[in-house]
Amino acid sequence: MAALVSAETDAVARDREGTPGSPRAEARVTAVKTLDERTRDITVSSPAMGKSIPVRVILPANWERRPKATFPVLYMLHGGDDNYTAWTRETDLEELARKSDVIVVMPDAGKDGYYSDWFAGPPRWETFHTRELVRLMEKEYRASSSRAVVGLSMGGFGALNYAAHHRGLFRYAAAMSSYVDLDDPAVRLAIGLGSQRVGVDMKKVWGDPVRNADVWRFHNPAAMPRSFRGTRVHLSVGNSVPGPMDLGRAPDVVLASVLGEAALPAQIKKFAASLREERVRVTTHMYAPGTHSWAYWRKELHYIWPALMGSLGSRADRAGEAGHSSLRARIR
């Protein structure tokens, strides 16, 4: 494990210690837009990023009524071709959170930003999300040290890496339809094609796959199962077969959703097994039918919500934990 930690490389370490753009100064809120009584779009000036980043925040119903209280915080990470509005645009997250005394934080992560401090950085997404934003939420919005992180697709990959790289930061990490093994040829192909489509050079993200293989391993969840000890992990994926929830979608969109999910079940099963070997508390939900699409992710969000809130200690949702545990036991 020490070799993997050192694999962060001198370049990444220098980025975090004192080169231009590293987070010596504190991130700060420079603008707030009120969307409704609980939802805010905030603009955060980030030293790590060298620019401002938008973040959507849902405040607990009791946030103003309990001005001295701190609240658990749930970080929600979007996919590679999306932005910070994704979870509220595509799901009923706001309604789900209405009865839960938690702060929900949805930061932007760029198009194919890979939730990483880039090898040729900036950007330094990981530093922004796991250091600057965490501190800012504690300082400005009374976030507590009880945290969870949920992501889908590339966001699930980010959730896993953040949990592994910062042990103890998150009590719960959930990855929906996420690649988990960068050594899988299908994943390498998908990342290559996706990054080319949006003009991202992967050598700038993690360096050359051969010469900088240590950096690629440092960002590979499958290479560090022991690092998840102490974090509750949930992995979910569909079987890549279209179902009733895919009806009405354009054929080319359905095909892309099928292909996007096809390589994931096998590697997720293998990864879950390696986590269990390391005594990590992990649950899986391998559902059928299921494609790489929001229809299934919306359903999965409802499925994990009781356990997610239970891990955070949200009083409003503890009662749902027992029901979720019973169902989970039947599908492991």
Side-chain angles (χ1 to χ4, degrees), residues 101-134:
D101 248 0
V102 301
I103 303 169
V104 183
V105 181
M106 295 156 280
D108 203 69
K111 297 286 186 181
D112 282 12
Y114 293 99
Y115 293 92
S116 302
D117 285 1
W118 283 23
F119 184 77
R124 296 179 178 84
W125 289 110
E126 183 170 351
T127 297
F128 170 62
H129 291 143
T130 63
R131 297 189 182 190
E132 292 182 341
L133 188 58
V134 166

Side-chain angles (χ1 to χ4, degrees), residues 158-232:
L160 293 174
N161 265 311
Y162 287 179
H165 292 172
H166 307 275
R167 291 181 66 175
L169 188 63
F170 300 105
R171 296 183 178 185
Y172 183 105
M176 304 178 188
S177 298
S178 169
Y179 47 88
V180 297
D181 188 359
L182 294 181
D183 291 332
D184 188 313
V187 172
R188 291 283 180 109
L189 177 61
I191 287 176
L193 293 175
S195 60
Q196 287 179 7
R197 181 172 53 83
V198 296
V200 171
D201 182 354
M202 291 307 300
K203 291 183 179 180
K204 292 184 178 180
V205 181
W206 298 320
D208 182 86
V210 177
R211 291 195 302 271
N212 306 112
D214 54 350
V215 183
W216 283 69
R217 281 181 63 80
F218 179 75
H219 292 93
N220 186 5
M224 46 187 171
R226 185 171 297 184
S227 295
F228 292 92
R229 286 181 176 178
T231 301
R232 183 173 178 178

Side-chain angles (χ1 to χ4, degrees), residues 11-80:
V12 177
R14 284 195 302 272
D15 284 345
R16 290 180 176 174
E17 288 171 2
T19 54
S22 62
R24 286 192 179 275
E26 291 288 322
R28 58 192 178 89
V29 176
T30 57
V32 179
K33 181 180 180 180
T34 300
L35 302 183
D36 59 39
E37 61 180 356
R38 294 167 48 241
T39 308
R40 310 284 187 270
D41 276 358
I42 65 175
T43 302
V44 179
S45 176
S46 164
M49 295 295 294
K51 61 180 181 179
S52 293
I53 306 296
V55 180
R56 180 160 290 179
V57 178
I58 301 175
L59 297 173
N62 288 324
W63 192 78
E64 290 186 349
R65 291 196 291 267
R66 299 172 60 199
K68 294 184 179 181
T70 60
F71 297 88
V73 58
L74 167 61
Y75 290 87
M76 306 283 287
L77 308 182
H78 65 75

